[in-house]
Amino acid sequence: MANVVIVGAQWGDEGKGKIVDLLTQYADLVVRFQGGNNAGHTIVLKGEKFVVHLIPSGILYKDKKCIIGNGVVLDPAVLIQEIDEIKRRGYFQDDSQLLISEETHLILPYHRRIDVARERTFKIGTTGRGIGPAYEDKVVRCGIRMVDLIDEKVFREKLEANLIQKNAYLTQVLQDRGFEFSEIFDEYLSYKHRLETYVKNTSLLLHEEIQRGKHVLFEGAQGALLDMDHGTYPYVTASNTVAGNACAGSGIGPTMIHSVVGVAKAYTTRVGEGPFPTELHDALGEKIRQRGGEYGATTGRPRRCGWFDAVVVNHAIRINGIQKMVITKLDVLNDFDMIKVCVGYRVNGKVLTYLPSNLEILKHAEPIYEELEGWKSEIEGARYFKDLPRNAKRYLKRIQKLTGAKITMVSVGSERDETVGVENPFAKRSFKR
């Protein structure tokens, strides 16, 4: 057996969707283990663009099983919309392809309203999708899970109890509107009838499939720098995005994970608030944004853009145990005369080569750059490293040396086949330590 975790090595939006979609050809199952519909994975297949927020990126292969794990917080309305859209476009015709953990927690309308109301004060940069408040309910043990929704009596009791406190909080503290019981209860019962066929004990199923020698690809959402514990807190998401959460978020043990692959862009982006040392506030940053189509797949918000930051990626490599790296969107840099790479930070006359936990220090960190010559040519047709221009290879080799992680694949375009160095991550050679 061989099981691989794919994680983002920056602030999310690294192109994991394409990489998971590409590597699914070698897997038997794909598992999404955290996050909610605050993150979107974009896949381009035969000129068609697909954006998925909850369904694992492997859904475009008809013979693969896709699991939404217990670590996800799920908005049923969004999931149903995704199901209908993918089916309408000729994919996912077999319902047995998708499974939802019965322990997955639900996002309810009051979570979204609380999220939006609080953002007016705290300005964290949340998408307003209710992700954080849903995880809060999970932690304080008043969350509603898929298994609760399936049992109408249990769902009624939990919703009634929750609405007492949620309505008081919404009206008295946040100065917003509350909810009537019936408007939520009736709506979510309709979701139950649409989704109950997919709800299974996925932890048990995963264990059985792994014991049979099946290959599992674990798909994270967001990126390492948005991890609740190890990211740029409080400007983070509401879950653990690191590879270690693949186990807790899917219901398997850590001995069942064999490799961690990190995904990073050839430059850096982030959405929302928070420090970003290599951010470009000039025409170069706008050029990267336009060439890379750097707008949020979920919200459409323009992403902040900057040069590749080896300090950030090294932090991600350490906290995830990343053994191999995939570099995406190298083609976005095709038209640059000079390309910079951040190799450290200068703070109060001192040089830091690690990411400080104190955000006041990070906010005032001055990036220390190395400059490399650009390659000034198109690379979309490259399929092997030898096909890349000399300066593109030099750029990748420098990143590899700075991070200490072997670059095994490079994305040079949005299509599935526009990738250099594709290898089977489940092959035995991939697990040599």
Side-chain angles (χ1 to χ4, degrees):
M1 62 182 180
N3 305 311
V4 177
V5 184
I6 306 290
V7 292
Q10 293 161 318
W11 277 284
D13 310 308
E14 299 95 348
K16 297 181 297 298
K18 173 185 171 174
I19 303 307
V20 173
D21 169 66
L22 181 63
L23 297 182
T24 295
Q25 63 184 302
Y26 305 111
D28 299 298
L29 301 95
V30 182
V31 182
R32 168 79 178 273
F33 61 84
Q34 51 77 218
N37 59 301
N38 55 338
H41 285 172
T42 302
I43 304 163
V44 178
L45 181 60
K46 298 176 182 177
E48 271 195 278
K49 182 178 178 180
F50 297 82
V51 179
V52 290
H53 300 90
L54 290 165
I55 298 177
S57 302
I59 198 66
L60 301 183
Y61 290 84
K62 65 180 181 180
D63 58 340
K64 311 294 181 180
K65 289 194 179 297
C66 294
I67 295 176
I68 298 175
N70 57 276
V72 173
V73 286
L74 187 149
D75 187 321
V78 173
L79 178 59
I80 289 169
Q81 184 178 15
E82 279 189 26
I83 290 171
D84 290 345
E85 175 64 12
I86 293 173
K87 284 179 176 286
R88 183 188 67 79
R89 296 170 73 175
Y91 297 86
F92 180 27
Q93 301 301 303
D94 180 1
D95 280 334
S96 68
Q97 236 188 303
L98 179 65
L99 302 100
I100 306 169
S101 169
E102 58 192 10
E103 296 174 324
T104 299
H105 281 248
L106 299 177
I107 295 172
L108 287 107
Y110 48 75
H111 292 134
R112 294 191 294 270
R113 191 168 293 174
I114 289 171
D115 205 3
V116 172
R118 287 199 306 215
E119 178 66 11
R120 290 195 288 265
T121 300
F122 294 108
K123 294 179 171 52
I124 294 296
T126 173
T127 60
R129 302 298 201 268
I131 311 300
Y135 275 117
E136 287 175 40
D137 280 5
K138 180 176 182 176
V139 172
V140 298
R141 297 177 292 280
C142 68
I144 298 176
R145 303 172 299 164
M146 284 299 308
V147 69
D148 303 321
L149 179 63
I150 300 303
D151 188 323
E152 189 173 325
K153 180 175 180 292
V154 172
F155 179 54
R156 177 183 292 275
E157 291 172 352
K158 290 197 171 189
L159 182 60
E160 285 176 342
N162 277 359
L163 276 181
I164 293 172
Q165 57 169 303
K166 300 303 180 188
N167 280 340
Y169 181 53
L170 278 164
T171 57
Q172 297 172 31
V173 177
L174 299 177
Q175 303 297 304
D176 212 314
R177 296 176 294 114
F179 287 90
E180 294 292 330
F181 171 83
S182 61
E183 63 179 309
I184 297 179
F185 185 76
D186 295 342
E187 177 187 354
Y188 273 64
L189 277 191
S190 71
Y191 298 153
K192 166 201 166 181
H193 298 312
R194 279 295 309 273
L195 296 177
E196 60 186 339
T197 186
Y198 303 111
V199 179
K200 309 290 180 186
N201 183 335
T202 55
S203 171
L204 179 61
L205 181 142
L206 263 177
H207 182 82
E208 291 172 346
E209 292 290 85
I210 291 172
Q211 293 303 311
R212 291 173 54 206
K214 298 296 185 180
H215 299 319
V216 184
L217 196 62
F218 293 89
E219 172 190 34
Q222 288 101 13
L225 276 293
L226 293 178
D227 183 88
M228 173 60 72
D229 290 293
H230 305 290
T232 48
Y233 185 91
Y235 303 103
V236 294
T237 193
S239 61
N240 287 109
T241 62
V242 292
N245 195 32
C247 299
S250 61
I252 64 161
T255 55
M256 293 180 174
I257 302 296
H258 303 91
S259 181
V260 180
V261 177
V263 182
K265 280 177 181 163
Y267 47 95
T268 311
T269 64
R270 82 170 295 177
V271 172
E273 306 297 323
F276 182 178
T278 65
E279 183 175 10
L280 294 168
H281 300 279
D282 56 13
L284 285 175
E286 184 59 30
K287 182 177 179 179
I288 291 174
R289 181 181 296 116
Q290 294 302 325
R291 285 186 59 88
E294 295 297 350
Y295 298 88
T298 299
T299 63
R301 291 184 294 182
R303 296 180 183 133
R304 300 156 63 190
C305 299
W307 297 119
F308 186 90
D309 189 334
V311 179
V312 162
V313 174
N314 279 328
H315 178 79
I317 287 171
R318 176 171 55 82
I319 63 177
N320 284 285
I322 291 170
Q323 297 146 321
K324 296 185 177 182
M325 286 292 300
V326 178
I327 300 298
T328 62
K329 292 199 166 185
L330 186 65
D331 53 299
V332 172
L333 302 180
N334 284 350
D335 194 33
F336 286 76
D337 294 313
M338 300 297 296
I339 300 169
K340 293 183 179 182
V341 177
C342 174
V343 298
Y345 304 143
R346 187 173 286 108
V347 182
N348 297 326
K350 296 182 180 179
V351 174
L352 300 181
T353 55
Y354 64 89
L355 193 77
S357 299
N358 187 326
L359 292 200
E360 290 306 308
I361 294 176
L362 191 58
K363 284 177 185 176
H364 297 97
E366 177 191 350
I368 301 169
Y369 287 119
E370 288 184 3
E371 284 195 358
L372 295 92
E373 288 187 22
W375 44 94
K376 301 288 288 183
S377 61
E378 296 300 317
I379 60 173
E380 285 81 355
R383 295 297 177 268
Y384 302 95
F385 284 96
K386 64 180 177 63
D387 299 333
L388 292 170
R390 181 178 61 179
N391 284 347
K393 286 187 281 191
R394 282 179 175 173
Y395 183 62
L396 294 171
K397 285 177 181 177
R398 186 58 185 145
I399 289 174
Q400 185 167 267
K401 186 171 183 180
L402 287 168
T403 61
K406 183 180 180 182
I407 296 174
T408 56
M409 289 195 298
V410 181
S411 175
V412 295
S414 57
E415 285 279 358
R416 184 186 283 172
D417 65 346
E418 291 178 329
T419 310
V420 169
V422 178
E423 69 169 35
N424 180 354
F426 302 99
K428 286 185 179 181
R429 66 179 182 277
S430 297
F431 302 105
K432 293 179 181 177
R433 306 281 180 165

